Every structure is written in structure tokens, then in C-alpha cells.
Amino acid sequence: QALGLVAIGSKVKAEWTPAQEARFAQGLREHDRDFSLVQQNFLQEKTRAEIISYYYNIWKIRYTEDSVVWHNERRTLKDALRAEAAAEIEAEAAARAAHDAEDDGSDEEC
């Protein structure tokens, strides 16, 4: 109830204009889920509770086309970050293995 989750999506959506929805989408793109900054920079006329309610009752359940796009972009970014992290781990492991092989070879020469 504190987050406004008692409201149903259609009621919440009815309280938002298309322009406000567009500004909400832009705010999330710029500030992710920092709802205070979204409010401060994009939706001063909405309370933080109204913005959070919109996020959970509309955005999170992909009730708008913009929300579907945003979620897909986030998923793509997360997948890319995971792949990058995996590649870094593989490179570090290969470097360690090469270093260990060098260490093993240098002990035999001594």
C-alpha cells in the first residue's frame, strides 16, 4: 500500500496524460529507477508515490509500448554486460594459466 500498489493499472493509467507518460519514459532512460530524480527533472507535478505507483502498476508489467522497449533495452544491456564479464573472466583465467605454465617451465631450468 505504501508504494501505491493498491491501485489497479487502468485507474493509474487514467491519471496520466500521454505527455506525462513520455516524460516518465525519458526520465527512466536518463535516471533509471531513481524516482526522486525522475520527479525532480521530468514530473514535478507528480508525487514520488504517484511515480512509483505508475512504475509498478503500469511500467513494470509492460502496459505501454515504451515500457516494452525499455525492458528489452535493459535486457540487451544486461546480456552484453554478462558476456563482457564472462570474457574478462576467461581472459584472466587464460593469463593465469599462461603465467602458471611459465612458472612451471622456469623451475625446471634452474
Side-chain angles (χ1 to χ4, degrees):
Q1 193 170 9
L3 295 176
L5 300 179
V6 295
I8 59 171
S10 59
K11 278 187 170 183
V12 172
K13 191 161 176 29
E15 297 171 0
W16 287 66
T17 67
Q20 289 171 325
E21 290 182 310
R23 291 195 330 261
F24 176 87
Q26 183 61 36
L28 273 191
R29 284 189 180 89
E30 289 192 26
H31 300 297
D32 197 38
R33 288 170 289 197
D34 188 332
F35 299 118
S36 293
L37 286 176
V38 172
Q39 178 194 26
Q40 180 182 348
N41 296 319
F42 292 91
L43 293 161
Q44 296 88 5
E45 72 276 13
K46 294 287 187 182
T47 66
R48 188 168 171 268
E50 288 173 318
I51 292 169
I52 292 170
S53 175
Y54 183 86
Y55 176 79
Y56 283 103
N57 288 292
I58 304 298
W59 198 262
K60 188 86 172 153
I61 59 172
R62 295 161 178 82
Y63 200 68
T64 69
E65 187 175 317
D66 278 341
S67 64
V68 172
V69 170
W70 184 80
H71 284 285
N72 289 338
E73 289 170 353
R74 284 182 58 83
R75 185 178 319 112
T76 300
L77 177 62
K78 285 181 181 179
D79 291 345
L81 290 173
R82 275 191 216 105
E84 184 180 314
E88 286 177 15
I89 290 169
E90 270 186 44
E92 288 173 6
R96 269 195 305 273
H99 183 268
D100 290 347
E102 287 176 9
D103 285 347
D104 289 343
S106 64
D107 287 346
E108 292 173 9
E109 292 176 12
C110 292

